[in-house]
Amino acid sequence: GVWALSDDFSNSRLFRSVAYARLSWLAALGGVWGLAYLCIRRQGRGLLGSLARSARRLYRPALALLLVGVLNYVNTMTCGIENRRLTFSVMESLGMSGRQIRQLLIREGFLYAMFSILITMTAGTAVTYLFFQMMNYMGAPFSIPAAPLIAAFALVILICLAAPLAAYRHMTGNRSVVD
């Protein structure tokens, strides 16, 4: 059996966390299976040749992974804010206003956004360049389109700012956290 780790961390929260982790792994494995299915669909082409021919079909799994990632972030932020309900009520009882708590959550979301953009600009660009060079049999120059990248970063910032605010608004409704 699994026991509660403390009074603030009940069995239901532990079971819910385990269930979400399993669903995340299931979605990731489903994505790997989908990619493998697309790659071997065109027999005789090999992995890279089949992948190049199935590029249009890769948009659907990419969108599915995007959706899984966004839902994972929203779930993480919602659980984090729910777990900090007592902390927010203490801060509010000591004089912190709801506006100041929202500003705190905006800063936290902005830090998440900047961290993910930093990872994308460093490790993501390196991985993209590596895969591009592996498939670049025509000798095309590597370039990153600026407009879609800026739009994607704006979307990341928007999601990272909106998720904690929506979770806090859902948790408090029209009353304070202390109530």
Side-chain angles (χ1 to χ4, degrees):
V2 178
W3 58 91
L5 301 176
S6 72
D7 292 339
D8 290 334
F9 198 80
S10 66
N11 283 335
S12 63
R13 285 189 184 167
L14 185 64
F15 291 141
R16 196 174 342 143
S17 298
V18 169
Y20 288 138
R22 287 185 180 170
L23 285 175
S24 298
W25 277 107
L26 182 64
L29 291 175
V32 169
W33 176 83
L35 183 63
Y37 175 76
L38 289 174
C39 289
I40 62 172
R41 190 152 183 215
R42 303 236 184 241
Q43 296 185 5
R45 298 267 184 211
L47 177 68
L48 295 179
S50 176
L51 190 61
R53 286 199 167 266
S54 301
R56 284 181 294 186
R57 290 191 179 125
L58 286 178
Y59 290 123
R60 288 184 189 131
L63 288 175
L65 288 175
L66 173 70
L67 181 64
V68 167
V70 168
L71 291 176
N72 188 18
Y73 173 74
V74 169
N75 178 52
T76 302
M77 289 307 295
T78 303
C79 290
I81 289 172
E82 185 66 35
N83 286 335
R84 293 186 291 172
R85 178 188 290 247
L86 179 63
T87 305
F88 290 145
S89 65
V90 168
M91 285 194 277
E92 218 175 77
S93 67
L94 292 175
M96 192 171 198
S97 68
R99 182 173 183 254
Q100 290 172 324
I101 292 176
R102 285 191 297 278
Q103 286 177 347
L104 174 79
L105 293 172
I106 287 172
R107 287 188 187 118
E108 182 178 327
F110 189 73
L111 283 175
Y112 277 114
M114 289 300 111
F115 185 68
S116 66
I117 289 172
L118 179 70
I119 297 256
T120 301
M121 292 299 293
T122 55
T125 303
V127 169
T128 303
Y129 180 76
L130 178 72
F131 281 117
F132 177 81
Q133 290 303 328
M134 286 177 15
M135 292 187 228
N136 188 11
Y137 61 91
M138 299 286 288
F142 178 76
S143 65
I144 299 175
L149 189 67
I150 291 170
F153 287 164
L155 183 65
V156 165
I157 291 171
L158 179 70
I159 290 170
C160 287
L161 293 179
L165 290 176
Y168 180 71
R169 184 172 293 129
H170 177 72
M171 180 181 74
T172 59
N174 289 331
R175 58 194 200 300
S176 74
V177 182
V178 177
D179 296 337

